[in-house]
Amino acid sequence: MNDLEDLAKLIRYYSLVSTTEAGSGHPTSSLSAADLMAGLLFGGAFRFDLDDPRHPNNDRLIFSKGHASPLFYAIWAAAGKVTEKELLTLRKFGSPLEGHPTPAFRYTEAATGSLGQGLSIGVGMALNAKYLVKLPYRTYVLLGDSEMAEGSVWEAMEIAAHYKLSNLVATLDVNRLGQRGETMYGHDLSVYRTRAAAFGWETIVIDGHHLPQIQTAFDQAIRPIDKPVMIIAKTLKGKGVSFIEDKNGWHGKPLKKDELDRALRELGPVDKGLRGTIDPPQGAKPAGKKAVKAAPVSYTADKPVATRYAYGTALTRLAPQYPDMVVLDGEVSNSTYAELFKKAYPDRFFEMFIAEQNMVGTALGLSLRGKIPFVSTFAAFLTRAADQVRMSQYSNGNIKFCGSHAGVSIGEDGSSQMGLEDIALFRAILGSVVFYPSDAVSTEKLVEEMAKHKGICYLRTTRMETPILYRNDEAFWIGGSKILKSSNKDVATVVAAGITLHESLKAYEELKREGILVRVIDLYSVKPVDVATLRQAAEDTGFIITVEDHYAEGGIADAVRTALSKHPVPVHSLAVRAMPKSGKPAELMDYEGISWKAIVEAVKDRRQ
Amino acid sequence: MNDLEDLAKLIRYYSLVSTTEAGSGHPTSSLSAADLMAGLLFGGAFRFDLDDPRHPNNDRLIFSKGHASPLFYAIWAAAGKVTEKELLTLRKFGSPLEGHPTPAFRYTEAATGSLGQGLSIGVGMALNAKYLVKLPYRTYVLLGDSEMAEGSVWEAMEIAAHYKLSNLVATLDVNRLGQRGETMYGHDLSVYRTRAAAFGWETIVIDGHHLPQIQTAFDQAIRPIDKPVMIIAKTLKGKGVSFIEDKNGWHGKPLKKDELDRALRELGPVDKGLRGTIDPPQGAKPAGKKAVKAAPVSYTADKPVATRYAYGTALTRLAPQYPDMVVLDGEVSNSTYAELFKKAYPDRFFEMFIAEQNMVGTALGLSLRGKIPFVSTFAAFLTRAADQVRMSQYSNGNIKFCGSHAGVSIGEDGSSQMGLEDIALFRAILGSVVFYPSDAVSTEKLVEEMAKHKGICYLRTTRMETPILYRNDEAFWIGGSKILKSSNKDVATVVAAGITLHESLKAYEELKREGILVRVIDLYSVKPVDVATLRQAAEDTGFIITVEDHYAEGGIADAVRTALSKHPVPVHSLAVRAMPKSGKPAELMDYEGISWKAIVEAVKDRRQ
């Protein structure tokens, strides 16, 4: 049996000295949850192999209130896995102990620090345990009371209850104080209890500084039940140090040296040799799976297919070869065609309803447990989860996004449904891959590239049917492109992808009739971009026209200009620049100046 | 007294014929709420001047479930303000009756179509009535049950209750069916009632097709009470047409001609001459306000000031001159320095807690009622509201965003807190203005430019203190830039803004010591960009180096290359390209290759 009181004291000591040494950080937000986390890790409920943090059956612990990182590091120090010397590198350049937890620290399950995202990640890990690998591990999430204002938390709450995630335990640290003052509800725990219960959770209300209550709560939380459990704990920010306890104005402030001395005197003697023990996980193994080679791609050249449809077909085709593939969709699977996968592999499909933030957070959790999640909704609605997409890069997330209904070419539904900034969003993610296929064959091949690649990938699909451009055995790769038309008399190069590639091919024919030849490039890999092919085209033709069903900023034009930075030629961008509206696809492409007519005109005007 | 039953029938007729004529659209989602909206508009509670939709004391009506646009247009037709002929232009190019409501239609209060955003817009309009103009108008929001899964709805719920918005009435159309099947809760209205009550709302549960119940509910909803009210109505999707009623598979599908004939036969005779009447609003006038000229900008040249601090100072300084200015902040006002305004003008400041989506939706609602909302949080956390920012452009929103803590130069807090994609996000908004000031004086001037300009503006501020670069009487404008260093021997041009401009100036001095001269440009207006100055610099120096504390995509480099599209020169981009981490600002800028050292090196290597 661990001495929880002494361990909590040691954890407080570590939280205080590391932040004072760093000269910044969040000691008070750490102290409020110190007893809760001591009770969780060392009170008997938690199962974890300290020497193998990636053990598939470890319990998972996510600090959704990532600013309590001093506490996070301190608990692993109390478990003997971080030295006091290492703790004193907190927030220093090169230290794995960053200001908010990141994977640089080996016990971090997911990077946090943008509030309200941890519970969604926990939902992903709990879904994995319950429905995919069928392992008894539990997922614990530490929440702050301020972040309960984030809607994403309530998305995670409703989905966790919907999927009956009895293996998910949230601990809510109600310390009353946010960054600049009191939260909306202060210490009124009944608000949180009523809301959590209304969202289908089991609730346990406790004094978050009473160790026996804490221990009982975690014991209760792991009893069999068909709901997720939230432990709602009344705590004091800065608990244990009288002059900062429950006081406003102490958020994100370390103690000065003399204040630290006072605080440590108050804390009293600390047993620095003490080490908490944790029971190892059960030896259960993940449910087995076997890869079976996927069937080949097979399209008929004369039958148009929407790339969004090919996305669904590709998922289904590739499923046997990639047993870790799972698919999530935001209640539009009959539009994105993720439903094709759902019908074929219902056990590997998760309906995430109209809650895109939680969908992406959940996908991150699944990816961090080894799954390859494919996530789809309208491209426009992926913007809803931009912060979750952003944060997933800091967890080294391996998520495959598909945004359907790209551009004004969706037609009558109008501006709200048109993805016109999605390429800009995904290009600005570190190391991301951005694909924009123009036909079904390339879509199939690129979906497979996404499945194979480790990292964040985005696939942009088109609503309407488009002709097949490629043979079934054509190869496509990250950073590639295709030259579809080329001669030694090309007066310009037209670079396009998706719907506008087909407009470019129409323009090519029209120009050819008039004796004007242009090169046409399918830029299916918008990031990374095929620098060599673009440079050659620039050198050969001296003038480039980009055409994209996307706003003028952040998309194909920017990608092409970047590729030509060293040896630039004029690049004329055709893109969406007028307020989009309802209408027929062809009318709207004309209106925006991205149809074949605008391309013909731009080629003719090229030197003006 | 209006004959509600006949009006509801007429509205159903309009919803059906307009969508069949359009060949697309959402008749079934319209029919479920037809009785509710007939009851609202024509049942006596609603006050509206049909000839003056912009009347400041009109009740406001927002269709959060924007796909029910056929119903939206039909109710105004039933009020005599849209002809049947106009209804038949639904979704056609050039028609104000777009697929989802936009301001092209004069009765649209706000563009909708991305679900879960309407209630936040309503919160803004209700805040305006209750706290700013002190008018008795009410704000009504029609919600669908599918969109209740969106976290943003619960953000709006909690904030509406927090601000005791008794003038806000939500009507929840629980028709059970989403796009691809049943919602999480089907017709279990108790789930919505319990949750709404837990979030502090008064609830009224009714049969949404029982007109007397509907009328009573709206009468009840406008009785004095200190809470917002939600009418939760059990409805049937497709109600009134037996073969589509309550049936899955009919989302977003118009009836075919023969199906329409059958449906109209079922509907029975419709009185097309019928017109519903609405009582006009009370003649109350908005609370008065008077503009008083702002004090001049006044900084001391030798005292560094953080641009984030100058933002707060600027808001406070400009408040008297722009009485419509209001400020919203996401629980970080002591970091963004919006708190300076809050302290000086508490009545014009709204604490929006950690709920960025609702903050932006609320700002949109305020702006649509004539306010000039300034919205602040960390730049990184504005990504949380990317979809709300996106949608605000379609409402012609007039919102001023400020993102603080830009870039790796924030230091120790680490990647999760660093805004590194915010310029990409805001550049990809149609007609947006993107400012990135480098000192306090330019910040002050640019905040005023934002207040004067009608449209979406973004201001990026820096965490640390930076030297004053400009005289207090220096002028700055949209689309401008400043040449800080220039000679006729410049071998390159360094283009920067914000923190990297100061690095550029250091590099200039270092290079000058070695006899190398460069031009230095402060690109404070990243969008629109100063094409003339950049072209001149390109012509004069033949080589441009951009330096930005932002990811390489979508930021300053892309803006500069776009400006030089016609007459390009090589543009070398220094930007954030390595995984960001914790550390001192200077260490991190070195690590990312955006410090003065990297600039010096890039200038020396310029032709390689």
Side-chain angles (χ1 to χ4, degrees):
Chain A
M1 273 300 279
N2 288 305
D3 183 331
L4 292 181
E5 208 162 317
D6 282 355
L7 281 166
K9 196 186 274 192
L10 179 64
I11 288 168
R12 285 199 159 82
Y13 166 82
Y14 285 148
S15 301
L16 289 166
V17 296
S18 61
T19 45
T20 294
E21 175 67 20
S24 66
H26 298 77
T28 55
S29 307
S30 294
L31 295 188
S32 64
D35 297 312
L36 291 167
M37 291 300 98
L40 169 60
L41 253 75
F42 306 118
F46 199 69
R47 308 289 295 263
F48 196 91
D49 183 343
L50 283 165
D51 295 320
D52 183 8
R54 300 295 156 227
H55 190 294
N57 203 27
N58 276 345
D59 284 345
R60 302 357 280 197
L61 172 59
I62 298 159
F63 264 44
S64 187
K65 50 174 286 186
H67 55 288
S69 58
L71 169 63
F72 186 62
Y73 305 133
I75 55 179
W76 301 106
K81 291 296 164 184
V82 182
T83 66
E84 183 165 345
K85 198 177 153 196
E86 285 170 311
L87 283 179
L88 298 182
T89 66
L90 176 69
R91 292 176 156 250
K92 291 195 171 36
F93 186 75
S95 168
L97 311 186
E98 298 205 54
H100 293 74
T102 74
F105 180 66
R106 61 198 286 256
Y107 293 92
T108 301
E109 295 282 349
T112 48
S114 181
L115 290 170
Q117 301 197 12
L119 195 59
S120 298
I121 301 168
V123 166
M125 296 187 176
L127 280 176
N128 181 61
K130 177 160 183 166
Y131 293 100
L132 298 169
V133 291
K134 321 256 162 127
L135 282 178
Y137 75 78
R138 285 193 172 72
T139 302
Y140 295 90
V141 179
L142 176 65
L143 293 162
D145 49 350
S146 280
E147 68 179 316
M148 296 302 280
E150 286 285 11
S152 53
V153 175
W154 299 100
E155 293 180 5
M157 296 284 289
E158 73 201 5
I159 296 289
H162 177 77
Y163 282 105
K164 302 189 194 306
L165 296 179
S166 47
N167 55 355
L168 180 64
V169 179
T171 304
L172 178 56
D173 173 22
V174 186
N175 68 19
R176 188 180 74 81
L177 292 169
Q179 171 174 327
R180 50 78 264 160
E182 196 165 36
T183 65
M184 273 184 274
Y185 314 111
H187 265 144
D188 183 358
L189 274 67
S190 70
V191 173
Y192 301 107
R193 192 194 55 221
T194 312
R195 291 184 184 182
F199 273 71
W201 284 53
E202 186 69 19
T203 60
I204 304 171
V205 175
I206 60 167
D207 172 350
H209 299 305
H210 190 282
L211 285 161
Q213 276 190 36
I214 293 169
Q215 213 167 351
T216 307
F218 283 115
D219 286 346
Q220 258 183 281
I222 63 175
R223 286 183 315 193
I225 189 181
D226 67 344
K227 292 172 175 187
V229 179
M230 179 175 280
I231 296 170
I232 302 168
K234 181 175 176 178
T235 64
L236 298 178
K237 202 158 172 170
K239 171 72 181 181
V241 179
S242 62
F243 56 94
I244 56 174
E245 198 174 287
D246 200 30
K247 291 216 170 30
N248 201 7
W250 275 97
H251 181 93
K253 275 192 197 160
L255 300 186
K256 299 197 188 84
K257 294 272 184 201
D258 59 320
E259 292 167 338
L260 177 66
D261 291 343
R262 272 174 68 198
L264 294 184
R265 274 199 301 277
E266 265 194 39
L267 209 59
V270 170
D271 179 358
K272 300 216 272 175
L274 192 65
R275 291 294 170 259
T277 57
I278 300 175
D279 282 342
Q282 298 171 39
K285 282 194 181 145
K289 57 198 176 185
K290 224 179 83 184
V292 176
K293 198 161 164 46
V297 175
S298 158
Y299 288 93
T300 315
D302 54 0
K303 194 168 165 277
V305 177
T307 56
R308 62 175 168 142
Y309 191 85
Y311 170 72
T313 312
L315 292 179
T316 313
R317 185 178 65 81
L318 295 165
Q321 192 166 338
Y322 298 91
D324 285 327
M325 265 178 68
V326 292
V327 176
L328 293 78
D329 189 274
E331 224 271 307
V332 288
S333 58
N334 55 341
S335 288
T336 59
Y337 285 107
E339 71 171 10
L340 300 180
F341 182 94
K342 173 187 172 182
K343 282 173 188 164
Y345 300 94
D347 297 346
R348 292 159 66 182
F349 178 88
F350 297 98
E351 176 57 67
M352 301 308 285
F353 299 91
I354 309 183
E356 296 80 6
Q357 295 194 74
N358 178 66
M359 174 165 70
V360 174
T362 298
L364 178 60
L366 285 162
S367 97
L368 294 171
R369 295 279 79 244
K371 295 298 169 289
I372 309 172
F374 280 76
V375 171
S376 51
T377 183
F378 286 25
F381 305 142
L382 282 174
T383 61
R384 195 61 155 265
D387 195 20
Q388 279 76 8
V389 174
R390 181 182 77 86
M391 284 301 295
S392 66
Q393 73 190 312
Y394 300 129
S395 283
N396 300 325
N398 182 33
I399 312 179
K400 317 304 162 184
F401 295 95
C402 173
S404 70
H405 293 68
V408 300
S409 60
I410 67 162
E412 289 79 359
D413 271 336
S415 52
S416 62
Q417 317 294 300
M418 295 169 172
L420 289 165
E421 53 294 290
D422 50 318
I423 299 179
L425 170 68
F426 281 99
R427 274 183 74 236
I429 299 291
L430 209 59
S432 63
V433 170
V434 178
F435 286 146
Y436 187 9
S438 303
D439 83 337
V441 172
S442 51
T443 304
E444 290 265 1
K445 302 297 175 81
L446 296 175
V447 170
E448 181 154 14
E449 289 301 303
M450 290 166 80
K452 287 194 302 201
H453 178 73
K454 178 105 174 62
I456 294 170
C457 301
Y458 175 59
L459 182 87
R460 185 181 218 229
T461 63
T462 299
R463 180 170 185 270
M464 70 167 89
E465 290 176 352
T466 44
I468 302 291
L469 295 174
Y470 298 105
R471 289 166 40 141
N472 285 312
D473 59 357
E474 185 89 29
F476 294 79
W477 54 85
I478 293 174
S481 71
K482 296 283 173 191
I483 302 172
L484 295 190
K485 302 289 176 186
S486 173
S487 78
N488 55 12
K489 291 180 187 153
D490 296 338
V491 299
T493 301
V494 181
V495 180
I499 192 74
T500 56
L501 182 66
H502 298 279
E503 297 296 313
S504 305
L505 292 171
K506 274 185 237 169
Y508 171 87
E509 296 300 339
E510 178 65 25
L511 288 161
K512 197 177 159 193
R513 263 192 289 279
E514 302 184 33
I516 303 169
L517 289 174
V518 293
R519 188 162 303 180
V520 177
I521 294 177
D522 173 1
L523 199 75
Y524 66 80
S525 179
V526 180
K527 184 185 172 191
V529 72
D530 183 350
V531 174
T533 299
L534 290 171
R535 285 208 184 151
Q536 191 60 52
E539 200 181 311
D540 293 350
T541 70
F543 188 78
I544 290 187
I545 295 162
T546 58
V547 204
E548 56 191 315
D549 195 356
H550 184 276
Y551 283 135
E553 297 83 8
I556 291 176
D558 281 356
V560 169
R561 291 192 191 107
T562 303
L564 303 177
S565 276
K566 284 197 180 178
H567 306 286
V569 299
V571 174
H572 183 70
S573 150
L574 302 177
V576 175
R577 290 188 164 88
M579 179 60 82
K581 51 171 90 172
S582 293
K584 294 204 185 83
E587 286 170 338
L588 293 170
M589 287 196 284
D590 277 346
Y591 165 67
E592 296 291 353
I594 57 170
S595 69
W596 67 270
K597 295 172 202 163
I599 300 167
V600 166
E601 209 174 306
V603 170
K604 291 182 178 172
D605 288 354
R606 64 191 172 278
R607 294 294 176 197
Q608 286 174 5
Chain B
M1 274 299 280
N2 288 306
D3 182 331
L4 292 182
E5 206 162 317
D6 282 355
L7 281 165
K9 194 186 277 193
L10 180 63
I11 288 168
R12 285 198 160 83
Y13 166 81
Y14 285 148
S15 302
L16 290 166
V17 296
S18 62
T19 45
T20 293
E21 175 67 21
S24 66
H26 299 76
T28 55
S29 305
S30 295
L31 295 189
S32 65
D35 297 313
L36 292 167
M37 291 300 99
L40 170 59
L41 254 77
F42 306 119
F46 199 68
R47 309 287 296 261
F48 196 91
D49 183 344
L50 284 165
D51 294 320
D52 183 9
R54 300 295 156 228
H55 190 294
N57 203 26
N58 276 345
D59 284 346
R60 295 8 274 195
L61 172 59
I62 298 160
F63 264 45
S64 187
K65 49 175 284 187
H67 55 288
S69 58
L71 170 63
F72 186 63
Y73 304 133
I75 54 180
W76 301 107
K81 290 298 163 183
V82 182
T83 65
E84 185 166 342
K85 198 177 152 194
E86 285 171 311
L87 283 179
L88 299 183
T89 67
L90 176 70
R91 292 175 156 250
K92 291 194 171 36
F93 185 76
S95 168
L97 310 187
E98 297 207 54
H100 293 74
T102 74
F105 179 65
R106 61 199 287 256
Y107 293 92
T108 302
E109 295 282 350
T112 49
S114 181
L115 289 170
Q117 301 198 11
L119 195 59
S120 297
I121 301 168
V123 166
M125 296 189 175
L127 280 176
N128 181 62
K130 178 161 183 165
Y131 294 99
L132 298 169
V133 291
K134 321 255 162 128
L135 282 176
Y137 75 76
R138 285 193 172 73
T139 302
Y140 294 91
V141 179
L142 175 65
L143 293 163
D145 49 352
S146 280
E147 67 179 317
M148 297 301 282
E150 285 285 11
S152 53
V153 174
W154 300 99
E155 294 180 4
M157 295 286 289
E158 74 202 3
I159 297 290
H162 177 77
Y163 282 106
K164 301 189 195 306
L165 296 179
S166 47
N167 55 356
L168 179 64
V169 180
T171 304
L172 178 57
D173 172 22
V174 187
N175 67 20
R176 189 180 73 82
L177 291 169
Q179 171 173 326
R180 52 77 265 160
E182 196 165 36
T183 65
M184 272 184 275
Y185 314 110
H187 265 144
D188 183 358
L189 274 68
S190 70
V191 174
Y192 301 106
R193 192 192 57 221
T194 312
R195 291 184 184 182
F199 273 70
W201 284 53
E202 185 70 18
T203 59
I204 304 171
V205 175
I206 60 167
D207 172 349
H209 299 304
H210 190 282
L211 286 162
Q213 277 190 36
I214 294 169
Q215 214 168 349
T216 307
F218 283 114
D219 286 345
Q220 258 183 282
I222 63 175
R223 286 183 316 195
I225 190 181
D226 67 343
K227 293 173 174 185
V229 179
M230 180 176 280
I231 297 170
I232 301 168
K234 181 175 175 177
T235 64
L236 298 178
K237 201 158 172 169
K239 170 72 180 181
V241 179
S242 61
F243 56 96
I244 56 175
E245 199 173 286
D246 200 31
K247 292 217 170 30
N248 201 7
W250 275 98
H251 181 93
K253 274 193 198 159
L255 300 186
K256 300 199 188 83
K257 294 273 183 203
D258 58 320
E259 292 166 339
L260 177 65
D261 291 342
R262 270 174 70 197
L264 295 184
R265 274 198 302 275
E266 266 194 40
L267 209 58
V270 171
D271 180 358
K272 300 215 278 177
L274 191 65
R275 291 295 168 259
T277 57
I278 300 175
D279 282 342
Q282 298 171 40
K285 283 194 180 145
K289 57 200 177 185
K290 225 179 84 182
V292 176
K293 200 163 163 45
V297 174
S298 159
Y299 287 93
T300 315
D302 55 359
K303 195 168 164 277
V305 177
T307 56
R308 62 174 170 144
Y309 191 85
Y311 170 72
T313 313
L315 292 178
T316 313
R317 185 179 65 80
L318 294 166
Q321 191 166 338
Y322 298 90
D324 286 326
M325 265 178 69
V326 293
V327 176
L328 294 78
D329 190 272
E331 224 272 304
V332 288
S333 58
N334 54 343
S335 288
T336 59
Y337 285 107
E339 71 170 11
L340 300 180
F341 182 93
K342 173 187 173 181
K343 282 173 186 160
Y345 300 94
D347 298 345
R348 290 159 65 181
F349 178 89
F350 296 99
E351 177 56 68
M352 301 308 285
F353 299 92
I354 309 183
E356 297 80 6
Q357 296 192 75
N358 178 66
M359 174 166 69
V360 173
T362 299
L364 177 59
L366 285 162
S367 97
L368 294 171
R369 296 280 78 246
K371 296 297 167 291
I372 308 173
F374 279 76
V375 171
S376 52
T377 182
F378 286 24
F381 305 142
L382 282 174
T383 60
R384 196 60 157 265
D387 195 20
Q388 279 76 8
V389 173
R390 180 183 77 86
M391 283 302 294
S392 66
Q393 74 190 312
Y394 301 130
S395 283
N396 300 324
N398 182 33
I399 312 179
K400 318 303 163 184
F401 295 95
C402 173
S404 71
H405 294 69
V408 300
S409 59
I410 68 161
E412 289 79 359
D413 271 335
S415 52
S416 63
Q417 317 293 301
M418 296 168 172
L420 289 164
E421 55 293 290
D422 51 319
I423 299 180
L425 170 68
F426 281 100
R427 273 183 76 237
I429 298 292
L430 208 60
S432 64
V433 170
V434 177
F435 287 146
Y436 187 8
S438 303
D439 84 337
V441 172
S442 52
T443 304
E444 289 265 2
K445 302 296 175 81
L446 295 175
V447 170
E448 181 154 15
E449 288 301 303
M450 290 166 81
K452 286 194 303 200
H453 178 75
K454 177 104 175 62
I456 294 170
C457 300
Y458 176 59
L459 183 87
R460 185 179 217 230
T461 64
T462 299
R463 181 171 184 271
M464 69 166 87
E465 290 176 351
T466 44
I468 302 291
L469 296 174
Y470 298 105
R471 291 164 40 139
N472 284 312
D473 59 358
E474 184 89 28
F476 295 80
W477 54 87
I478 293 174
S481 73
K482 296 283 174 193
I483 302 172
L484 295 190
K485 302 289 178 187
S486 173
S487 77
N488 56 11
K489 288 179 190 157
D490 296 339
V491 299
T493 301
V494 181
V495 180
I499 193 74
T500 57
L501 182 66
H502 298 279
E503 297 296 313
S504 304
L505 292 170
K506 274 186 238 169
Y508 171 87
E509 297 300 340
E510 177 65 24
L511 288 161
K512 196 177 160 193
R513 264 191 289 280
E514 302 183 34
I516 303 169
L517 290 174
V518 293
R519 189 162 303 180
V520 178
I521 293 177
D522 173 2
L523 199 74
Y524 65 81
S525 179
V526 180
K527 183 184 172 193
V529 72
D530 184 350
V531 174
T533 299
L534 290 170
R535 285 207 184 152
Q536 190 62 53
E539 200 181 310
D540 292 350
T541 71
F543 188 78
I544 291 186
I545 295 162
T546 58
V547 204
E548 56 192 314
D549 195 356
H550 184 277
Y551 282 136
E553 297 83 8
I556 291 176
D558 281 355
V560 169
R561 290 193 192 107
T562 303
L564 302 177
S565 277
K566 284 199 180 178
H567 306 286
V569 299
V571 175
H572 184 69
S573 150
L574 302 177
V576 175
R577 289 190 166 87
M579 181 57 83
K581 51 171 89 171
S582 292
K584 294 205 186 82
E587 287 170 337
L588 293 170
M589 286 196 285
D590 277 346
Y591 165 66
E592 297 291 352
I594 57 169
S595 69
W596 67 269
K597 295 172 203 164
I599 300 167
V600 166
E601 209 173 306
V603 170
K604 291 182 179 173
D605 289 354
R606 65 191 172 279
R607 294 296 176 198
Q608 286 174 6

